[in-house]
Each structure stands twice: as C-alpha cells, then as structure tokens.
Amino acid sequence: MTNKALPFLSSATREQLLVVIVAFVQGVLLYLLYHAVDQHQWPSGHPVMLYLLASLLTLVPWFFLLLLEPGRLWRALMLVPVYGAVVAIAASFAGWQARPVEFVDITTMLPAYVLTMVIASFKALMYGQQYVRGERITYAALLRNSWRLFLLGGLSGAFVLLVQGVLLLWGALFKLIGVGVFSFVFGRSWFVIPSSTTAFGFALILFGNLDYVIDNIGRLLRTMMRLLLPLISIITLLFVAFLPFTGLQHIWDAKLGSLVLLWLMALLLFGVNAVYQSSLDSQLSTHALPYSLGLHRLIAAAVATLPIFGILA
C-alpha cells in the first residue's frame, strides 16, 4: 500500500481514513465476540459459528486493508466477497470437524488451522495485489510482493506490541503516584483489542509508504536465509532418515505434530524461493548456483521429501 501522507501529520486521504475506520470497527466487533465467548454466551459451544465469525472478523478486514491502494478502492472491494466466501467455507468445515464439543478439544485444531489460513491468505494477497494494481502476474513481481507483505505484516505487528508496551508503561508510571485509572483502562480487553487493531491500521499506513526500507530489510533477510537453508535441509533429511527406525506413533501422539511439520515445509519452501530467485535477480545466469554443487544437491534432496511431510501432516 503506497500512501503519500500520514493522517496524524497532514491531511488524510480517503483510503487512509478508511483504513483507520475499518481497523477500529474490526477491533470493536472482535471484542464483542471475545466478550460473548468469555461469558459463555453464543457462539460459545457452537464451533461452526465460532470458527466462522472469528475467521471472518479477523481475516477479511486485514485482506481488504492490505489490498487497498490509492484510487483503486473498487478493485479491492471486488475481491473481498470472493475471499470472504472461501474463508467462510474453510472456517465452517474446520468448525464442523471440532464437533461434538463434549469430546473434541477445539484448541487442538486451532494452531494448524491458523497456520493454514495465514499461508492461504498470504498467497491470495500476492495475486490480489497484482489484480488491484492492474499489473501482469510474473514470478519476480510475486516474489517482491511476498517479501513486502511478510515484512509489512511483521513490522506492523511489532508496532502494535510497541504501542501496547508504551501504554502499559504509561499505566505503571502513573500507578506509582497513586493514579490507577490509566493502568485499569489499558488492561481491559474492551480497550486492548480495539486499540491493537487501530494501531495495526496506522502501522499499515506508516510502513506502506516505506517500500525502499522494506526492500533493504528483505535483502538482509535473504542473505540470512542463504546461510540457514542448508541447515534446514539437513534437518529435513535427518528427520526422514530416522522415520523408519522411530515409527509414526510419536507423530500421532503429538498434539502439535501437524503444526511442526507444516512449519518445516513452509521454511524450506520459503528458503528455496528466497535464495534461488534472489540469485537470479542478481543478474546471474540461470545455471549459476548460490551454493557449491554438493550443497545444491543436498537442498534438492530435501525438497524432494516435501510430499512425505505433506502426507504426514
């Protein structure tokens, strides 16, 4: 999202005002859902509706805000119903699997579901941004957008944590002199949830105008990933090599087994795309390798084991 003005520094654009409004409304609705569940009211005890409402209120506003571009509001809005329908189907199915509530712990399925939806939404955003901007879909553009999305989300999340940390410091500081109202307010869920989503919206506006900074951070992270990819590949191959001797029972017994496997798959794929594509972007020939031939074959062997991890997950 490329914006030219910050609403707290100069006159806000229509898109920037919309970002703040949507983020605040999202926070209010999420608080109402949290309060209902915390008080054991509907949709508590109804996993289908709980998954559905939580997914729609969390993912759809973020999807829209990350797609929003100056002068392209309607193109972004056109994709929201399609994305919302897919999220609704996936969330309803996940909630249906969590029944009956008397025998299924809803939290055991949550980590794998969240990771799956985050990855799927990330991919949808990569292509959605190309559509909204009217750009031709190319691998280089998708890779660039993926890094920008990853860093934009990470930096915005860090900004939210920083804001909440400053507010907690504010409350603790005034509590020392006997003024406890700030500490009370800043610790209430009805304040924390809306303020966090609103801060996230402001962060999207702030960091969305710093593409050059995000691109530089991306290059630094790709350099780090070039060092980590061989280690991830070794871990992957060792895991597969030990499976015939250890069996699969330990995986089935682990509550977070699928989550661990999915994370390993995601890291390996992320590393391969980052390292090899960045090498091509550095004007190397298509036959040039970022590693020696031995390490290249090691990484290729690790990639070949990914179907095994998918089946196990």
Side-chain angles (χ1 to χ4, degrees):
M1 183 181 359
T2 303
N3 297 303
K4 299 302 180 183
L6 300 181
F8 43 83
L9 295 180
S10 60
S11 58
T13 65
R14 178 184 62 175
E15 288 80 9
Q16 290 170 341
L17 289 174
L18 186 59
V19 167
V20 176
I21 293 172
V22 171
F24 176 74
V25 172
Q26 178 195 25
V28 173
L29 294 177
L30 282 175
Y31 163 71
L32 293 176
L33 178 62
Y34 168 81
H35 179 73
V37 174
D38 186 57
Q39 298 298 316
H40 303 288
Q41 301 172 353
W42 187 90
S44 178
H46 299 79
V48 174
M49 291 305 302
L50 182 57
Y51 268 84
L52 177 63
L53 291 176
S55 299
L56 290 177
L57 291 179
T58 303
L59 296 175
V60 173
W62 285 349
F63 180 81
F64 171 68
L65 295 181
L66 287 166
L67 279 185
L68 192 58
E69 295 278 346
R72 297 184 175 92
L73 172 61
W74 292 111
R75 290 182 71 89
L77 285 173
M78 288 174 61
L79 294 179
V80 171
V82 179
Y83 174 77
V86 175
V87 169
I89 294 172
S92 300
F93 178 70
W96 178 79
Q97 288 183 309
R99 299 181 310 155
V101 293
E102 296 83 4
F103 302 102
V104 179
D105 184 2
I106 193 172
T107 59
T108 59
M109 298 175 52
L110 196 57
Y113 171 74
V114 170
L115 178 62
T116 302
M117 295 305 294
V118 168
I119 294 175
S121 300
F122 189 84
K123 297 292 291 183
L125 277 168
M126 289 166 53
Y127 288 94
Q129 284 185 333
Q130 298 293 94
Y131 171 79
V132 171
R133 294 169 183 168
E135 299 175 352
R136 188 170 61 91
I137 296 177
T138 62
Y139 187 82
L142 290 173
L143 183 71
R144 181 180 65 253
N145 287 341
S146 68
W147 276 103
R148 287 180 177 177
L149 279 172
F150 175 75
L151 292 173
L152 181 60
L155 291 172
S156 299
F159 180 79
V160 172
L161 294 177
L162 181 62
V163 168
Q164 293 300 332
V166 170
L167 292 177
L168 290 176
L169 178 62
W170 180 355
L173 184 64
F174 276 81
K175 193 173 183 180
L176 290 175
I177 58 175
V179 182
V181 62
F182 296 111
S183 178
F184 174 80
V185 171
F186 296 158
R188 302 298 97 183
S189 58
W190 50 262
F191 178 85
V192 172
I193 297 176
S195 65
S196 296
T197 58
T198 305
F200 189 83
F202 275 106
L204 291 180
I205 297 173
L206 173 64
F207 296 118
N209 195 37
L210 300 176
D211 285 345
Y212 64 96
V213 175
I214 291 179
D215 289 342
N216 288 331
I217 297 175
R219 280 191 287 271
L220 175 62
L221 292 178
R222 287 195 293 270
T223 301
M224 295 173 58
M225 185 56 68
R226 183 172 179 176
L227 299 175
L228 290 175
L229 183 56
L231 178 61
I232 298 172
S233 300
I234 292 173
I235 294 172
T236 302
L237 292 174
L238 285 176
F239 182 85
V240 173
F242 272 83
L243 277 181
F245 304 100
T246 61
L248 301 177
Q249 190 60 42
H250 295 293
I251 299 178
W252 309 145
D253 294 339
K255 290 185 177 181
L256 299 180
S258 294
L259 181 64
V260 174
L261 295 175
L262 288 172
W263 264 113
L264 186 60
M265 293 175 64
L267 281 174
L268 184 58
L269 287 173
F270 184 80
V272 169
N273 278 276
V275 172
Y276 283 87
Q277 181 61 31
S278 63
S279 297
L280 296 179
D281 288 344
S282 300
Q283 296 182 347
L284 297 176
S285 70
T286 55
H287 299 290
L289 301 177
Y291 302 105
S292 65
L293 184 59
L295 281 178
H296 169 70
R297 289 174 175 171
L298 176 76
I299 294 169
V303 173
T305 65
L306 284 178
I308 298 176
F309 286 88
I311 294 171
L312 293 178

